[in-house]
């Protein structure tokens, strides 16, 4: 079967070299690329009505000739109305556009046009009119191809791609479909199609773009038609197949040496434990230790909300590895966090037991070289650090366990670089970003997951309020009362890259204002990412020691900072933060025995999405719920903003909308694999898998 779907777009009717280049820029190279891009939505242009039969309130399509078109000034300055008169055999109607005078050039008298929109009774004159209708110019000869493609049916509406408009796209897709033979190459095994009631691929492509008359618009919108479902299933099946194969490959790997846990090691762990573990912590630790003592390398994600106590669990795992004579690397996304981990770990382990080195970019050359030597010789058992850990010069004698904190901040390549410093080391990645249940299986498909949901005892949820700028004075009063009780607080400023300078200035200015005018009787500090590391450290250390009462900070404090006496946080410009980010920030307070508060100060106007975000943060402190809400507000495409979040790149499917199909596809993929399909078939199906889905695994 020749594969027409792989036809370069340039050879499709309506696409010349110029348009092909334009489409290539937008990521479309061959016909299949276009056909596997689902329409944004559909319009029912099935019922073209004669103009004479229109009534006010109708949602309609009319086709006719433009008789006249002109711009009419109005009494309101700068407000112009464009009017066109359209006639078909039965009558004529006005189309009215507000403030789009350029349309005068488009809707030229004499051209044939299709209009879609709502029929209204005009305010002046009283006749019927179409207000701001969608329009499409048709080829001059009444019953040409064009009219057939764009009217009298349910038509697809596409997102613009490069300079290619929805209408041109529709024409190209139509032409592309026409050149397809009756059957096209299908990546799915026929047995799978039969079993899951999937229609053939050729029909699915055609009907997805040009649905048969009578297809339910509702089904189309939800992507539930048999045609759409088939394409989505196909994508999910291949995705799940690749995932399963990857899992098998990992399962086949063997560690050079497995870890043992005996009574002595248990005692050692108990000895360092500063508190009783929660049930969830104990369960997570059990799962991790089971992995450590297994011959296969561990590939585990430890997921737990901010403050849930992941660090101690990771540290106990590290202890087990070190007691077995293995080295451990702990990688953090920021220097601040690395330093904090370093302090904590050194404190908990006690001075004599193991040698812990810190490796960050801030380290002086000599100290760094010393740390390298200790690690290479095996004199240091544990390295805590940032990206600096991944440098080539960093060598371990026997790296057995890699722990990665806040994993969503690292890319797959970075993690792979660290992992390669050992021979099949165990890998534990930790994240405070709760992956909604709906996505967990997909997102971390090749990781085992441990979850800590329970917070350490005595924690009360942080009371969260949303307050507009106008209530600033009350907010300050509230903060003042907290400070008077001996508590500490944060004032957080957003710092977005595009306006970093301005934001930094605002934060600096605010610190000055708070010091001089608002809290002259308290000690106010300022910390931001642009400071020299030692300067920043000094300020953080002072705050941790209670020498500062109020800390004005940019989002450098987002991750991991742990000051139990801090009970109040004011977030400035809360409307600018993402949901997950607000949740992370809030996790900086409420880490001790005192009741804690978070006040989200916002400016107006407030967009609907921003309002929804603030409401969601105020409504719950459950990170999982927040993640679900985030997903609803933003959609999975945007989830966490980056590809590094580990979400696969999907063309037709949508993790949230189609999760039932994803479940079905997973079962189908596993069932098919169980039949032991021939290797070449498998290879062909998953060729290019990783690039296609852009999935981030442990690496
Ligand atoms: P995260 O999961 O956000 O990394 P941490 O590991 O930093 O959380 O723990 C948050 C705080 O809770 C730390 O101060 C830690 O010492 C404390 N903590 C953790 N587990 C317990 C526990 N079981 N009992 C009491 N305090 C705990
Ligand atoms: Mg942490």
């Amino acid at each position: 079967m020749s594969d027409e779907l792989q036809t370069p777009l340039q050879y499709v009717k309506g696409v010349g070299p110029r348009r092909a280049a334009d489409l290539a820029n937008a990521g479309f190279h061959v016909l299949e690329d276009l056909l596997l891009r689902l329409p944004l939505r559909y319009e029912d242009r099935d019922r073209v009505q004669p103009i004479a039969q229109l009534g006010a309130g109708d949602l309609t399509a009319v086709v006719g000739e433009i008789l006249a078109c002109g711009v009419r000034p109005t009494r309101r300055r700068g407000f112009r109305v464009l009017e066109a008169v359209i006639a078909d055999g039965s009558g004529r109607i006005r189309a009215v556009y507000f403030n789009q005078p350029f349309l005068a050039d488009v809707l030229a008298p004499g051209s044939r046009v299709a209009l879609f929109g709502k029929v209204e009774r005009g305010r002046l004159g009283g006749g019927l009119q179409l207000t701001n209708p969608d329009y499409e110019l048709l080829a001059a000869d009444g019953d040409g191809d064009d009219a057939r493609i764009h009217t009298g049916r349910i038509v697809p509406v596409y997102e613009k791609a490069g300079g290619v408009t929805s209408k041109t796209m529709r024409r190209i897709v139509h032409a592309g479909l026409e050149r397809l033979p009756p059957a096209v190459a299908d990546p799915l095994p026929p047995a799978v199609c039969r079993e899951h009631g999937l229609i053939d691929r050729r029909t699915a492509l055609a009907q997805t773009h040009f649905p048969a008359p009578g297809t339910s618009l509702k089904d189309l919108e939800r992507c539930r038609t048999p045609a759409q479902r088939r394409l989505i299933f196909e994508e999910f099946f291949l995705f799940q197949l690749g995932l399963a194969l990857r899992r098998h490959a990992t399962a086949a790997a063997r560690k050079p040496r497995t870890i043992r846990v005996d009574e002595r090691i248990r005692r050692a762990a108990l000895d360092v434990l500063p508190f009783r573990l929660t049930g969830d912590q104990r369960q997570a630790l059990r799962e991790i230790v089971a992995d450590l003592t297994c011959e296969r390398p561990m590939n585990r994600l430890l997921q737990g909300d901010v403050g849930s106590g992941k660090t101690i669990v990771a540290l106990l795992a590290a202890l087990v590895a070190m007691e077995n004579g293995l080295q451990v690397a702990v990688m953090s996304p920021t220097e601040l966090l690395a330093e904090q981990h370093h302090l904590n770990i050194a404190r908990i382990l006690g001075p004599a037991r193991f040698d812990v080195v810190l490796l960050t970019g801030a380290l002086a050359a000599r100290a760094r070289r010393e740390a390298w030597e200790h690690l290479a010789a095996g004199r240091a058992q544990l390295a805590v650090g940032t990206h600096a850990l991944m440098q080539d010069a960093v060598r371990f004698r026997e790296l057995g366990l890699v722990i990665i904190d806040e994993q969503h901040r690292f890319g797959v390549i970075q993690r792979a670089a660290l992992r390669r410093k050992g021979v099949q080391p165990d890998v534990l990645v930790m994240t405070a970003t709760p992956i909604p249940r709906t996505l967990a299986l997909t997102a971390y498909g090749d990781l085992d997951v441990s979850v800590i949901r329970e917070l350490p005892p005595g924690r009360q949820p942080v009371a969260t309020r949303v307050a507009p700028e106008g209530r600033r004075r009350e907010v300050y009063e509230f903060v003042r009362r907290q400070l008077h009780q001996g508590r500490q607080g944060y004032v957080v400023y957003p710092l977005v890259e595009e306006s970093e300078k301005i934001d930094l200035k605002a934060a600096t200015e605010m610190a000055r204002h708070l010091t001089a005018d608002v809290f002259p009787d308290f000690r106010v500090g300022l910390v931001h990412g642009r400071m020299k590391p030692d300067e920043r450290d000094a300020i953080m250390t002072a705050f941790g020691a209670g020498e500062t009462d109020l800390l004005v900070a940019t989002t450098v404090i987002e991750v991991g900072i742990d000051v139990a006496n801090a009970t109040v946080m004011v977030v400035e410009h809360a409307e600018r933060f993402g949901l997950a980010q607000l949740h992370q920030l809030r996790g900086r307070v409420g880490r001790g025995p005192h009741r804690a508060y978070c006040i989200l100060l916002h400016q107006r106007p407030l967009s609907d999405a921003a309002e929804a975000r603030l409401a969601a943060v105020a409504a719950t402190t459950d990170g999982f719920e927040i993640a679900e809400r985030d997903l609803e507000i933003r959609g999975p495409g945007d989830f966490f903003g980056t590809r590094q979040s580990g979400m696969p790149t999907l063309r037709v499917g949508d993790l949230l909308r189609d999760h039932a199909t994803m479940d079905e596809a997973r079962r189908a993929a596993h069932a098919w694999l169980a039949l032991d399909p021939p290797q070449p078939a498998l290879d062909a199906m998953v060729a290019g898998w990783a690039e296609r889905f852009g999935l981030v695994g442990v690496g």
Side-chain angles (χ1 to χ4, degrees):
M1 196 177 331
S2 85
D3 198 348
E4 283 285 338
L5 285 169
Q6 300 311 316
T7 309
L9 280 171
Q10 176 171 355
Y11 304 116
V12 175
K13 194 175 138 204
V15 189
R18 222 196 39 182
R19 208 163 257 162
D22 210 9
L23 286 169
N25 274 337
F28 303 100
H29 303 279
V30 298
L31 181 54
E32 187 176 49
D33 295 337
L34 274 197
L35 297 186
L36 285 183
R37 188 174 76 139
L38 298 192
L40 203 55
R41 59 193 169 83
Y42 298 84
E43 265 175 25
D44 191 353
R45 300 180 180 178
D46 196 12
R47 261 151 292 157
V48 176
Q49 279 178 284
I51 291 175
Q53 289 176 15
L54 296 179
D58 288 356
L59 203 59
T60 189
V62 301
V63 174
E65 186 184 333
I66 301 175
L67 295 185
C69 180
V71 177
R72 179 160 64 73
T74 63
R75 258 179 257 158
R76 265 170 63 196
R77 245 171 57 120
F79 190 74
R80 291 192 289 173
V81 175
L82 179 131
E83 275 188 11
V85 179
I86 290 72
D88 64 5
S90 75
R92 53 177 67 181
I93 188 168
R94 266 184 311 153
V96 180
Y97 293 91
F98 298 116
N99 276 341
Q100 302 182 56
F102 54 88
L103 284 182
D105 297 332
V106 182
L107 303 174
S111 20
R112 273 177 65 76
V113 69
L115 299 176
F116 317 94
K118 192 155 176 192
V119 182
E120 292 179 346
R121 199 160 293 287
R123 241 162 281 157
L124 325 156
L128 293 181
Q129 68 178 41
L130 290 157
T131 310
N132 291 323
D134 285 345
Y135 65 91
E136 277 193 12
L137 293 175
L138 304 176
D141 59 341
D143 47 13
D145 243 7
D146 237 33
R148 202 163 51 75
I149 296 175
H150 303 295
T151 55
R153 65 188 332 157
I154 298 174
V155 296
V157 177
Y158 299 95
E159 204 174 321
K160 225 171 144 189
V164 181
T165 62
S166 171
K167 185 181 173 198
T168 305
M169 187 68 80
R170 192 183 302 140
R171 215 185 273 129
I172 297 171
V173 167
H174 194 270
L177 284 167
E178 292 217 308
R179 60 180 293 152
L180 292 185
V184 296
D186 186 347
L188 288 186
V192 171
C193 292
R194 246 177 287 131
E195 178 157 352
H196 294 271
L198 304 175
I199 65 173
D200 79 274
R201 196 161 191 245
R202 167 77 172 81
T203 310
L205 289 168
Q207 301 264 314
T208 290
H209 293 277
F210 294 95
T215 307
S216 147
L217 269 185
K218 218 175 189 172
D219 285 352
L220 281 168
E221 232 105 79
R222 293 190 196 147
C223 288
R224 297 272 169 82
T225 66
Q228 293 163 315
R229 198 179 88 84
R230 192 245 137 84
L231 298 182
I232 293 166
F233 186 98
E234 173 189 314
E235 179 171 49
F236 285 175
F237 181 88
L238 296 179
F239 173 69
Q240 291 291 347
L241 194 66
L243 214 55
L245 289 174
R246 213 150 85 146
R247 238 175 192 290
H248 285 200
T250 339
R254 290 286 173 269
K255 293 187 273 201
R257 186 144 80 80
T258 47
I259 287 174
R260 269 203 257 270
V261 179
D262 53 23
E263 218 20 64
R264 181 184 63 84
I265 293 179
R266 268 193 209 99
R267 280 250 74 80
L270 273 178
D271 279 349
V272 304
L273 206 55
F275 35 62
R276 266 178 68 86
L277 294 182
T278 63
D280 280 357
Q281 283 174 319
R282 242 174 297 143
Q283 176 61 22
L285 186 62
R286 255 197 302 275
E287 288 163 2
I288 291 167
V289 169
D291 283 356
L292 291 176
T293 54
C294 168
E295 289 176 6
R296 273 199 328 260
M298 166 165 75
N299 252 331
R300 186 169 288 276
L301 175 75
L302 177 57
Q303 199 186 339
D305 215 341
V306 271
S308 61
K310 295 183 291 294
T311 315
I312 189 70
V313 175
L315 182 58
L316 291 173
L319 191 71
V320 169
M322 292 190 294
E323 291 284 359
N324 275 267
L326 294 165
Q327 287 171 299
V328 179
V330 180
M331 183 158 74
S332 294
T334 67
E335 282 177 10
L336 217 57
L337 206 55
E339 288 158 17
Q340 188 176 293
H341 271 320
H342 179 244
L343 279 175
N344 276 341
I345 291 174
R347 195 191 63 218
I348 293 177
L349 287 181
R353 298 183 65 83
F354 295 105
D355 233 330
V356 182
V357 297
L358 175 68
L359 260 178
T360 68
L363 225 54
R366 221 184 106 210
R368 194 165 14 179
R369 208 162 323 110
E370 229 163 73
W372 291 345
E373 283 166 17
H374 283 314
L375 287 173
R379 282 193 300 274
Q381 288 76 33
L382 199 155
V384 186
T386 56
H387 297 74
L389 277 175
M390 299 178 303
Q391 289 174 337
D392 283 340
V394 181
R395 301 228 164 78
F396 291 82
R397 199 176 58 84
E398 195 175 2
L399 179 62
L401 172 62
V402 169
I403 297 172
I404 294 167
D405 199 10
E406 304 301 341
Q407 70 88 29
H408 63 282
R409 297 186 165 228
F410 292 102
V412 64
I413 298 170
Q414 300 170 310
R415 279 182 270 142
L418 186 53
R419 162 183 243 180
R420 269 198 305 275
K421 293 185 185 294
V423 180
Q424 303 283 8
D426 288 309
V427 177
L428 178 68
V429 295
M430 303 196 281
T431 182
T433 313
I435 307 294
R437 238 160 305 127
T438 24
L439 300 190
L441 259 176
T442 317
Y444 295 114
D446 62 348
L447 291 179
D448 299 305
V449 180
S450 297
V451 182
I452 305 180
R453 283 202 79 145
E454 188 183 355
L455 293 182
R459 295 280 173 79
Q460 305 170 51
V462 178
T464 306
R465 300 275 177 280
V466 180
E469 173 63 30
R471 311 231 338 245
R472 181 176 288 278
R473 272 160 159 277
E474 288 165 59
V475 171
Y476 284 157
E477 270 323 297
F478 184 82
V479 172
R480 171 178 300 281
R481 281 200 296 279
Q482 288 292 306
L483 301 186
H484 265 304
Q485 287 167 31
R487 303 284 85 76
Q488 290 164 281
Y490 300 100
V491 178
V492 181
Y493 258 83
L495 192 66
V496 284
E497 256 164 63
E498 306 90 73
S499 56
E500 189 175 318
K501 274 211 184 101
I502 303 167
D503 290 342
L504 208 54
K505 216 176 123 209
T508 313
E509 178 53 31
M510 176 54 81
R512 199 203 52 73
H513 171 62
L514 292 178
T515 312
D517 313 327
V518 187
F519 300 108
D521 41 344
F522 290 103
R523 296 155 302 178
V524 181
L526 169 68
V527 65
H528 57 75
R530 275 302 163 97
M531 286 175 160
K532 291 214 185 67
D534 40 354
E535 194 183 349
R536 208 176 50 197
D537 283 356
I539 292 166
M540 291 308 303
T541 312
F543 187 71
E547 290 158 18
T548 325
D549 303 298
L550 192 63
L551 189 63
V552 179
T554 58
T555 39
V556 289
I557 64 155
E558 183 185 333
V559 197
I561 299 304
D562 189 18
V563 178
N565 190 45
T567 55
V568 59
M569 168 174 287
V570 179
V571 181
E572 296 275 355
H573 282 288
E575 76 280 0
R576 288 211 229 152
F577 288 93
L579 200 44
Q581 216 181 1
L582 285 172
H583 178 64
Q584 289 272 343
L585 278 171
R586 177 171 57 183
R588 298 307 114 219
V589 292
R591 300 172 78 88
H594 308 287
R595 182 137 179 74
Y597 307 87
C598 177
I599 302 153
L600 307 170
L601 256 183
H602 67 83
Q603 310 285 317
R604 293 191 195 281
L606 202 55
S607 71
D608 287 352
E611 192 170 350
R613 283 199 300 272
L614 297 182
V617 181
T620 177
T621 51
D622 182 332
F624 285 86
E625 249 173 68
I626 287 189
E628 306 264 2
R629 285 290 292 138
D630 199 13
L631 199 58
E632 277 167 36
I633 295 172
R634 291 209 270 166
D638 267 343
F639 197 58
F640 306 135
T642 60
R643 280 174 58 126
Q644 286 186 12
S645 62
M647 296 298 149
T649 329
L650 297 169
R651 286 210 273 200
V652 291
D654 177 304
L655 293 176
L656 202 58
R657 182 192 65 208
D658 307 318
H659 67 92
T661 307
M662 182 63 101
D663 284 346
E664 188 181 344
R666 188 179 56 247
R667 270 177 273 121
H670 289 192
W672 193 64
L673 269 181
L675 298 177
D676 237 339
Q679 194 61 40
L682 268 182
D683 291 345
M685 287 169 80
V686 296
W689 184 87
E691 294 89 273
R692 170 157 175 205
F693 292 105
L695 191 89
V696 173
V698 180

